[in-house]
Structure formats: structure tokens, C-alpha cells
Amino acid sequence: MAKKELDWGEIGFSYIKTDYRYVSNYKDGSWDEGVLTGDDMITITECAGVLQYSQSCFEGLKAYETEDGHIVAFRPDMNGERMVNSCKRLEMPAFPKERFVQAVIETVAANEDWVPPYGSGATLYIRPYMFGSSAVIGVKPAEEYQFRILTTPVGPYFKGGAKPISIRVSDFDRAAPKGTGNVKAGLNYAMSLHPIMIAHREGFAENLYLDAGTRTRVEETGGANFLFVTKDNTVVTPRSDSILPSITRRSLMYVAEHYLGLKTEERPVYFDEVSDFAECGLCGTAAVISPVGMINDHGHEICFPSGMEKMGPVIQKLYDTLTGIQMGRIEAPEGWIQVIK
Ligand SMILES: *Cc1c(COP(=O)(O)O)cnc(C)c1O
């Protein structure tokens, strides 16, 4: 076996088909044993629940090579657990967490040649997902489901250093107060495509969504949670039942407290207080943290003291520590690094 010959630094973020994917089908009330297959095509009825009523959810995580040459994944058990919660909310049958982790391991191991080399900055993105595969015409949950895991190599998120981004306050809402914002459902993304295209047309990287109920509190962006740093170095993240619980954000809050000795707060964050913060970042699997330099609220610019050239000092430390843990340069908390090979 040999690594694929790709220009790892230049592959970017489009889908590249790898050799194997995992498939398990749910029928007559249970999951089959699951297989790895080379077949990337799916054939389902035209009336499948996913096609008619968007009954689907997904996860996202990464595998990568560490400094000492192992292939590992970061906290896949957390993704497995979150997917169980998504399934409950969407009336889908949960794929057991232990099987989820095992399936991730098998899929990555089978695609070992596609795991980018240490130091390239590239990673193997892992996308577990599930959808209603049987026919549904009256509105109800499907009776059959398919769980799959595909992998695709992705390039380094920050080429030539992490430049802060500018974002804007959206006039659209991402999630209703008791809606589906806290689960990783495809439907949350379908409705975000229109606002993200508007943001991009206006020159912004992302949308900041406020809470739909009162439009006074910061929720998150389309695909990443917020971290703020106060002028006295407290790390603050918004608390809300309609935010998707980011594993990266939860890991960073742990790192802030236990590795860096910083004070942390998870609490409602009012939009009014954002201009008092010293630093701002967006957290998610893709970038770990993207620094935010400016937030545009209908023409009014909130500029963070950390500026538009580089990450603020606290966010930089958080980034360096978590990526150090992921890459095996810094000792990880128990259970964070799943060794695959
Ligand atoms: C996936 C996702 C995140 C980031 O979660 P991670 O587990 O850190 O990758 C944040 N917000 C939304 C809406 C998401 O779908």
C-alpha cells in the first residue's frame, strides 16, 4: 500500500472519491451487519423519505496522521453520540455509538492511502450520514434507513496562515427556539444556502445568526459555534438550546480551562455586548478556529482589537494547543484520540 499521489497542499475542499465507503441498512426494525463497498452510487425509490421530506442527518470529523506516524481520529465517540441525538429528534433509528466508532475505524483503515501525510495540513474528512430510504408519501417517518460513511481528503483550511474573516448579521433565522438547531440535520443547511449566498455576494465569509425568538442574543453561524475572549482573558461561548453542540467548541472550552488555566463561561451572549470583547473566533471541525476580525451589523462595523491581520493571542493559544493535542505533540485528555492504525 502506498499513499495516493495527490498534491496534498492544493486539494482544497471539493469531493474526491476514495476507494471504500461503509454501508449499513435498517430494515424490519434492525440494522444489518454493515459492509465496506467500492460502490459509491446509491439506488433508492423515487419516493424515499429523504427525497420527499428531507429525513436525514449527518456528522463530520477528521482522520489524520500524527507526528509519530499513526492514523487517528479526534473524539469519534462524541460524533456517534451526537448522531444518536439527531436520530431521536428526527424519528430515525439510532445507529449505536459503539458501532459508529467501529465503522469509522474500518472505513478510514480501508482508505488508509488517502490519509494525507503529517505536516501537509491536509486531512481525511469523514462524513457519516443517515437517510430514510423507503417510500413515504403521507407525512411520516420512513420504515427503512441507510447509514453510510464516506471519506474524502481535504486540503489545509488555512493556506499561508489564518487570516481573520469578516461576517455579517443575518436577517434570516437559522433555528427556531424549539426547532432542530441543536441537531445535525441536513434541513438546517438547506435553508441556510440562501443567506450564505447573500453573505458571499456582499463580501462576507459567514452569517451571524441571532436567536429567532428575541433577536437579541448571539447564536452561531451556519456551521460553526462562537468563542469570544473578554478583555481580561475569560473565554465566553453562547448558551442556547438552539445551537448545534460543536465538539470542537466543547474541546476548546476544556483546553481553555484545563490546559491554559483560563476562566470560561457558557452563558447567553447579548449582541449588544459583542463590541466589548477583545477576540472572536468560530469553531468547528473544518478550521478548528477561524478568527473573526469584524462583524457587520447592517452597515455598522464592530471591529475586534485583534484586527484583520492575525488571530488574537488567546485564540492563537487555544488553536495551537488543540491542534497540538490532535497531532500528538501535546498529551491528550483520556479518550480524545482514537488510534486507527
Ligand atoms: C457541525 C456544526 C458545527 C461544528 O461542530 P463540530 O463538532 O465542532 O464540527 C457548528 N455548528 C453547526 C450548525 C454545525 O452543523
Side-chain angles (χ1 to χ4, degrees), residues 3 48 59 65 72 75-76 99-100 103-104 109 122 130 166 170 175 181 187 200 204 213 227 232 286 303 321:
K3 290 242 184 266
E59 274 302 325
E65 205 171 89
V72 305
R75 308 188 78 179
R99 282 198 62 190
F100 177 102
V104 165
M130 191 194 295
S166 297
S170 177
L187 57 90
H200 289 172
F204 298 101
L227 279 190
D232 59 3
C303 298
T321 309

Side-chain angles (χ1 to χ4, degrees), residues 155-173:
Y157 197 86
F158 299 120
K159 269 203 255 169
K163 280 272 175 190
I165 54 171
S166 297
I167 64 175
R168 71 195 270 279
V169 177
S170 177
D171 289 322
F172 292 92
D173 294 320

Side-chain angles (χ1 to χ4, degrees), residues 58-60 79 82 174 181 183-184 189 220-225 243-250 283-286:
F58 67 99
E59 274 302 325
N79 296 91
R82 190 167 66 186
R174 190 190 85 87
V183 298
K184 219 166 169 70
Y189 279 78
E220 60 172 321
T221 65
N225 287 181
I243 290 175
L244 192 282
S246 157
I247 294 161
T248 314
R249 183 256 298 165
R250 286 179 278 167
C283 8
T285 293

Side-chain angles (χ1 to χ4, degrees), residues 42-286:
I42 297 173
T43 304
I44 48 174
T45 166
E46 62 188 352
C47 208
V50 61
L51 299 178
Q52 302 309 324
Y53 302 123
S54 297
Q55 200 185 13
S56 74
C57 61
F58 67 99
E59 274 302 325
L61 68 161
K62 285 170 168 180
Y64 46 91
E65 205 171 89
T66 55
E67 197 168 21
D68 59 1
H70 286 291
I71 295 173
V72 305
F74 185 68
R75 308 188 78 179
D77 56 320
M78 300 287 277
N79 296 91
E81 192 171 310
R82 190 167 66 186
M83 193 168 198
V84 168
N85 292 331
S86 298
C87 288
K88 282 184 187 153
R89 177 65 178 80
L90 298 168
E91 288 292 338
M92 301 170 77
F95 193 76
K97 181 170 116 177
E98 296 70 29
R99 282 198 62 190
F100 177 102
V101 172
Q102 201 49 43
V104 165
I105 292 171
E106 282 174 31
T107 314
V108 172
N111 292 299
E112 131 180 57
D113 297 348
W114 294 94
V115 178
Y118 174 76
S120 65
T123 56
L124 187 69
Y125 184 75
I126 307 165
R127 167 56 58 87
Y129 58 110
M130 191 194 295
F131 53 88
S133 54
S134 63
V136 169
I137 196 72
V139 177
K140 62 176 197 264
E143 285 173 357
E144 296 174 11
Y145 293 83
Q146 190 164 102
F147 170 79
R148 296 179 74 102
I149 302 178
L150 68 79
T151 57
T152 186
V154 294
Y157 197 86
F158 299 120
K159 269 203 255 169
K163 280 272 175 190
I165 54 171
S166 297
I167 64 175
R168 71 195 270 279
V169 177
S170 177
D171 289 322
F172 292 92
D173 294 320
R174 190 190 85 87
K178 292 185 178 4
T180 53
N182 60 344
V183 298
K184 219 166 169 70
L187 57 90
N188 291 333
Y189 279 78
M191 63 84 227
S192 77
L193 299 176
H194 182 53
I196 196 66
M197 292 310 285
I198 297 173
H200 289 172
R201 273 200 291 276
E202 293 179 3
F204 298 101
E206 262 295 355
N207 285 299
L208 179 158
Y209 292 101
L210 297 169
D211 74 293
T214 70
R215 309 204 110 242
T216 58
R217 294 187 295 268
V218 177
E219 292 254 307
E220 60 172 321
T221 65
N225 287 181
F226 276 101
L227 279 190
F228 296 101
V229 182
T230 66
K231 289 179 178 135
D232 59 3
N233 289 352
T234 298
V235 182
V236 180
T237 193
R239 179 192 292 283
S240 154
D241 291 340
S242 41
I243 290 175
L244 192 282
S246 157
I247 294 161
T248 314
R249 183 256 298 165
R250 286 179 278 167
S251 304
L252 286 164
M253 292 300 275
Y254 183 93
V255 163
E257 193 181 333
H258 296 95
Y259 282 68
L260 303 178
L262 299 170
K263 237 184 98 191
T264 59
E265 291 174 358
E266 185 180 353
R267 59 164 174 84
V269 172
Y270 287 86
F271 187 69
D272 277 354
E273 60 177 307
V274 165
S275 55
D276 295 333
F277 291 122
E279 300 176 41
C280 173
L282 299 177
C283 8
T285 293

